[in-house]
Every structure is written in C-alpha cells, then in structure tokens.
Amino acid sequence: MSAVPELRVTLAGAERVVPGGTTYGEVLDADGRSVVAARAGGELRDLAAPVSDGDVIEPVEAGSADGRAVIRHSTAHVMAQAVQEIFPEAKLGIGPPVENGFYYDFDVAAPFTPDDLKRVEKRMREIVKQGQLFSRRPVSDEAAREELAGEPYKLELIGLKGGAADEESVEVGAGQLTIYDNLDAKTGELCWKDLCRGPHVPSTRSIPAFKLMRSGGAYWRGSEKNPQLQRIYGTAWESREKQDEYLHLLEEAEKRDHRKLGAELDLFSFPDELGSGLPVFHPKGGVIRKLMEDYSRRRHEEAGYSFVNTPHITKDHLYKVSGHLDWYADGMFPPMELEGAKYYLKPMNCPMHNLIFRARGRSYRELPLRMFEFGTVYRYEKSGVIHGLTRVRGLTQDDAHIYCTREQMRDELASLLRFVLDLLRDYGLNDFYLELSTKDPVKFVGSDEDWEEATQTLREVAESEKLELVLDPGGAAFYGPKISVQARDAIGRSWQMSTIQLDFNLPQRFELEYQSADGSRQRPVMIHRALFGSIERFFGVLVEHYAGAFPPWLAPVQAVCIPIAEAHAPYLQDVAKKARERGIRIEVDASDDRMQKKIRNAQKAKVPFMLLAGDEDIANGAISFRFRNGEQKNGVPVDQALNEIADAIERRVQV
C-alpha cells in the first residue's frame, strides 16, 4: 500500500504540511457559512476541492465581494433548479452573479408572472433547507454535449469555449469544462445539474438570505437578433441583516427615483412621439438645468476656458480620421445620405474641437489652450439599457478639451482634477473615490510607450488627491487611459461623474501642431474632460441625491407666499415683488384652496421656503417663515426673511 503524499501549503504566512487529499475547507477549518470558498494561486476554489502542493491559500469570506459573488452564483443555480422543477419545459440560458444579486435566463412558453415567482421562491427555500451538496465534475466537450443535448443554449456556449463574454464565462472558459451536480445530502442522488465553472458554496444550506425581485425579457447573449428569453432577477446576501439593509436601500432608492420625481415635480418627460431615450425639459426642469449650466459656465470662465460651439452632424470622413468609425460605430446612429456624402449625428465633440485647434497656426504661448462646449451628442444605446435621464440617446456634455505641452501635462491634470472635485462639491456631492481605466488589449490605437506614460501620469495625479483609487483594467476608450470620479450620493450609491482622459493619439491622427520656443513644430497632448458626464445624467443624479428637495440655489421655485385668507394676498404680492427685485424665484398661491392645502402643495412641490401672512403679520410688517421640513418662525420682519433666503441661496446651502 503506497504512502499518502505530504503536501506543503501556506496559510496566513505560515507553511503547513498536510496529507494528500486534504481539501481547502479542511485547511481553512471552514464551515461554509462565514467562509464560502478559498483562493489559491489567484483562483477561487471550492472548499471541497483538494489542495495542491505549494498552494498559498486564503479564505474567501462570505461578506467579501468574491464571497458574495459565490453565494449569488449558487443561489442562481438553486433558482434554475426550482424553475425547471416547476416548468419542466424551461431551457436554461446563463445565470451569473451581478452587482447586488444574480439572474438566470430561461426559454419558456410565456413570461413569468408574480405568482410564478412566488412559487419559484417557495421551492428555492425548500431546496436550501434540504442542504443539497454542490459537487464539481470535469467533463469532456463531447460528454458535456451528450449530457446537455436537451439544452440548446448550453450547447451553443460549449461551442464558444474560450470566447465567451464576461457574463457567459461563468459557464465556460478556455479550459476544462465542468458540470456542477446538486446531490441529495443523505443519499447522494442527483437532484439537478448545470454546466458551470464555479466555484460554489458547499451546500444549499450555505445560502443565508435571498429574495426574487422581478422578471423581464432579455435577448439571448444580448443581441436583438437572438431569441428573447425570460430573465428572473434576485438578490442574495451573507446574512438576513445585510439583505434587509439592501432592501431598505432599494425602498429609499424607489422613493428617490428621478423618473417618478421628475413627473411629480413637473421637471421633464419622455414623450413617446420623440422616441426612446430622448427627454424634454419642462419649465421648472429648464430653470434647474439653466442654473447648472450658468454656474458651470461661470466657473469655467474663471478657470481660463475658451467657449466654442460645433454642429450636431458631420460628414463621415471626420470620424474615419478620429477612428470612431473603426472602434465606436456600434454606438453611433446610422448615417444620412446627403448630396452624395454620408453624414453622422456626432457621438463625440472631440474631433470637431481638434478642427478648431487646427484652423490656424498655434504657438506654445497659447498653451495650455482650454476649449469648452455644452455640446449635444447622440449615441445609439440599446433600448434595454436606456434608463431615465441617466442613460439616454441624446445628451449634452459639458465637454472640455485641453491642449498642452508634455511638460505642462502633469500640472494641468492635477489642477483639472482639483477643479472637477471642487465644482462637484459645490453641487452638494462630497464623498468621492477615483477609478483608473487602463488600455483594452484589443481596442486601442497608439504605441505601448505612449499608453504607459499616460497611464502612469494619471495614476500619480490620482494618488496625489489622497482619495481611494480603484483600477478598471481594460476599461479605457480606444485613444487613451482615463480617471473617472465616482461620487456616492446621500444613500451611499456610487455614480460615475466626471471623466478625465489623457490622449496622445488623436493629436497625431489630426496632425495637430504648435510652434515651440525654439521654432520647431511639436505635437500637443490632448486631455478630454466631461465634468458632469452629461447634463442629463447629472440632473438625474442630483434629483435622486436630494430626493427632489433641491437646495434653494437650485430650486426652480425658491419660496411661495401663502395668504391665510384672501384679504392677505395683496400684502404678499408686495412681499413677492421685493423678493423678485433681489433675484429670488417666488410665487404667490392665490388659489381658492384652504391655507393648509396650500402648505401641503408647497411641501409636495419641495419648495424650500413658505412665507405666510395674516392680520397680525401685516400689522407688524412681518411674515410667518415656514421651512419645508415643517419648522416655522412667526413674526419675522419681511426684510429679515428675505435676507435669510438670499443668504441661503448665495452660500448654496441646503435647508
């Protein structure tokens, strides 16, 4: 009888010797609850998998990002098992973990109903309670095809092996195919199986908390040319407490949904006649948008920017030169044929700004040259990803392009990042982190050396701000790396705001030059920067951040006058006249509604200040000063009240 080999593994910096066949779970003494998987050699492993000699092993805790992904992926399997037990004809698509949850796609005869989801969730809870074991089994391609002959979408994924997209890669990768069997814990009998790379929690009992959220249609592999499947979304967490926190966040987010508030506050709408992703701003929304633009314009003027303007369409040659037709054509609207030429709606402003730079000779004395435009662009977003104002097809960017020398590049980036952060703070966002997007190994133009220099410069500038820096490998546009400013809103959600992108490539493609101090012709460096991202998106984010209760400086109506009786209205009309002379946006509610109804209307409209007046107020030249949170100060002299309103507006504070 041969001796059991001894294996050397490292755990928490200490080397240990274990017998061959020892599992990761045994080394970690993991129960599948607090620790749900292992990491060895940079790869996630099942706790039931045997260790290898030389492994450096780390626990994957349930509450970590990887741990949550494992729990969610396992829950997706449980859901798919439940669906196929209730709907035996259902064919499986894919079921990956995603941010805050998971989904699984199914080919079924009819869309799922809310009652169907209740039945599925009930069966899932029964499966979890059974404690079925997740058991990994390597299979050959041929064996996988034979076992999954009745699953056409799985067969297609097997054919894609090594070329699957990110979400599909949970099913197949470039290496050995594996199937996960769900086994009865007592008898070992097969309950269900799925093509999957894993890893998974050891047992369905290792899934502490989950909930099915909704269902909807989704095209197979994201293409409108493919069949539409039915997708069920769910969420799963490492504890009931964490899930409850998330569900509470969703409730709060629903209250703050900018699409709902936009309609309630009469800010904007999306007329069907215009088409998907094309919003119109109503008068009150127009006031807020103008305030956003005016303040941004003022700050840019103070920072030395030159304002430019460019058309909405262009001949295709411009985007051939820029490379957009090579790398970004899928995101552009189809061309228009006119006078023998193809014209495109512009998806980006940068090529046109390059033409302005190139329109005449430039000297080093003009650099850095900072061009700025509120430029409207059009992008063909798929209908499935369009979402209110935060993902639209027609958008206005507060778009800047800075042309500078290489020597100026680092200082310009540093001052630009500070400018961006300061301006976002002025709008009430204060909690930031930075994301650095690096070169896509396939979609890029320019030399590796230029990319390396650009990426390192952005990294140094980002680190100088002492903010958290998160890497986004391969996330850059084709022409250069970028820093994205990510802002957390009032309920802790992250939104991508400003982007700052360094570009050595477009100046070369457009043959941009300036005359240096020694008379030679040099190529400028180009920095792309959108501060809001787009005005529409930023508007939507601010609506949700403030839950529609904008600070006075941004509120479309800053104050409303409410007479206690009809006889008091003329007095408040005079108060409103004084307020307007001071630039305060004020209205008088002279409707037939009772006073309490007028107060409720003002509160529903989220007006920051209410000015009430009755006989005693008029006699004393005063008003009762009411805030939208219900607080009230009585007998406040009119001038004092107007001073308080004007001061809050001037200081851009929330009330």
Side-chain angles (χ1 to χ4, degrees), residues 121-163:
E121 186 171 307
K122 181 182 177 183
R123 179 58 189 139
M124 290 173 67
R125 298 200 183 282
E126 294 168 354
I127 293 170
V128 167
K129 193 173 181 180
Q130 289 170 6
Q132 294 179 13
L133 305 178
F134 285 91
S135 179
R136 187 175 189 269
R137 174 165 53 91
V139 291
S140 66
D141 291 15
E142 184 180 348
R145 288 191 178 95
E146 186 175 334
E147 284 197 51
L148 300 168
E151 296 285 359
Y153 303 102
K154 299 295 184 181
L155 294 177
E156 184 176 333
L157 291 177
I158 294 170
L160 290 171
K161 183 177 168 182

